[in-house]
Amino acid sequence: HRLVRALVHLIVLTLMIVLTVQGWRFALNGWSQVALTIGDISMFWIFLCMPIGAAIMAFVTLELFLLTLLGYPEPTVAEDETLTTQGM
């Protein structure tokens, strides 16, 4: 079971690295493009969310991979913890 989890983490980590690199290239490509509808902002800043998000997910996946290799249990959320909007 631990081997399967480690393999899944490696696959996700690889995908996140690819998304980070390709997302960065995509963002750089948008440097000369301008978003006229939101005030002449370079599309680079809009496209930058993809490599940043992928890099953050890569770090989390790397953490989970290392925890799996070291034999720590997978983090879970208790079933009785629910998100509600009551009182807002």
Side-chain angles (χ1 to χ4, degrees), residues 22-83:
Q22 294 300 322
W24 177 250
R25 290 179 183 168
F26 187 74
L28 287 177
N29 188 37
W31 189 259
S32 61
Q33 300 174 18
V34 176
L36 297 175
T37 57
I38 55 176
D40 292 337
I41 296 175
S42 172
M43 291 298 289
F44 169 80
W45 300 109
I46 297 168
F47 295 154
L48 191 60
C49 66
M50 186 168 45
I52 289 175
I56 292 170
M57 292 188 326
F59 282 117
V60 171
T61 304
L62 179 62
E63 176 191 17
L64 292 174
F65 174 71
L66 293 175
L67 289 174
T68 300
L69 284 183
L70 296 174
Y72 288 95
E74 193 80 15
T76 59
V77 176
E79 289 182 26
D80 60 345
E81 293 183 28
T82 57
L83 297 175

Side-chain angles (χ1 to χ4, degrees), residues 10-24:
L10 274 179
I11 292 170
V12 172
L13 181 62
T14 303
L15 177 63
M16 291 305 109
I17 291 171
V18 168
L19 280 175
T20 301
V21 171
Q22 294 300 322
W24 177 250

